[in-house]
Amino acid sequence: MGNDLKSYQINESGGGSMKQDRWILEEYTERRAELKDLRKRIERQQDSLMKLRQTVMADTVSCGKKGRKPIRTVRIQGIPAGLIKRKEDALEKNQKIIELKEVELLEMQTRAEEYIESIPKSELRTIFRFYFIDDLTYAGTAMRMNALHPDRSYTDENIRKKIQRFFENVPQCPV
């Protein structure tokens, strides 16, 4: 785990500073995107390795020479075992890295959810869960909120403003 994850501390009143609260939510979103990118990279590595395993390398070599002419030529075939081994090792290493990052992300998600639960207003908690935890856009969050509350009307701009105003109006707690 990186030191930045440990730098988020909850004070005795139950919340961190506004800067740290916002940081945990933004960092969670960024790490989730990073993990998604790493998964795609591993998938490409696996595809490349599978193609390499199916590749048969061939070369023609000469066996001795009589003057400038070879006495005979031989065709050599095989798979690139050394290259396959190096790629397998790199893939295994990257998979271990992803496992560690998934654990870190899960811990960070727990911290983000704890912070969201500390928000007094139910509507804002729901909006924050959709936007930060479920990774919905402002428009997607508005659609889900409209489905939950058909008597109200939410827009993407409305959601954006609610999140922005929340962070502007939250009193900063001493750490």
Side-chain angles (χ1 to χ4, degrees), residues 59-65 68-76:
D59 196 9
T60 305
V61 295
S62 61
C63 296
K65 288 188 176 184
R68 291 183 175 221
K69 280 187 139 186
I71 296 175
R72 69 181 181 134
T73 57
V74 177
R75 183 176 164 94
I76 300 174

Side-chain angles (χ1 to χ4, degrees), residues 7-175:
S7 69
Y8 176 78
Q9 297 174 351
I10 297 175
N11 70 12
E12 294 165 14
S13 65
S17 73
M18 179 179 72
K19 185 178 178 185
Q20 288 174 326
D21 295 337
R22 188 174 195 155
W23 174 86
I24 196 75
L25 295 173
E26 290 172 349
E27 185 67 17
Y28 171 72
T29 302
E30 290 169 8
R31 286 188 185 203
R32 187 179 51 227
E34 177 188 18
L35 195 56
K36 188 176 182 180
D37 176 61
L38 288 173
R39 285 185 189 123
K40 284 182 183 178
R41 289 172 186 267
I42 283 184
E43 191 175 305
R44 284 194 302 264
Q45 279 183 314
Q46 288 171 331
D47 291 345
S48 170
L49 189 58
M50 189 178 298
K51 287 178 186 173
L52 194 58
R53 285 183 179 136
Q54 296 170 354
T55 301
V56 175
M57 308 284 278
D59 196 9
T60 305
V61 295
S62 61
C63 296
K65 288 188 176 184
K66 186 172 187 180
R68 291 183 175 221
K69 280 187 139 186
I71 296 175
R72 69 181 181 134
T73 57
V74 177
R75 183 176 164 94
I76 300 174
Q77 286 181 260
I79 58 171
L83 183 59
I84 290 173
K85 176 69 175 140
R86 286 192 304 271
K87 286 198 175 227
E88 285 173 342
D89 291 345
L91 180 63
E92 186 176 320
K93 185 177 178 182
N94 287 340
Q95 286 172 331
K96 287 179 182 177
I97 289 171
I98 274 203
E99 288 173 11
L100 290 174
K101 289 198 177 286
E102 283 175 341
V103 169
E104 288 177 4
L105 185 67
L106 189 57
E107 291 172 1
M108 189 165 274
Q109 179 179 347
T110 302
R111 289 177 185 249
E113 287 173 345
E114 286 172 354
Y115 171 68
I116 290 171
E117 283 303 313
S118 74
I119 298 172
K121 221 175 161 198
S122 175
E123 176 191 42
L124 280 174
R125 283 194 307 267
T126 306
I127 288 171
F128 273 53
R129 267 190 225 103
F130 288 153
Y131 185 73
F132 289 104
I133 304 298
D134 297 342
D135 197 28
L136 297 177
T137 62
Y138 292 127
T141 301
M143 285 176 46
R144 294 277 296 270
M145 289 300 290
N146 285 328
L148 277 177
H149 304 285
D151 55 324
R152 300 181 194 165
S153 179
Y154 293 92
T155 64
D156 56 342
E157 185 65 21
N158 178 272
I159 297 296
R160 186 184 68 76
K161 283 288 189 187
K162 283 182 183 283
I163 293 171
Q164 182 181 2
R165 285 186 189 126
F166 175 81
F167 285 117
E168 288 172 357
N169 296 327
V170 171
Q172 192 163 355
C173 302
V175 178

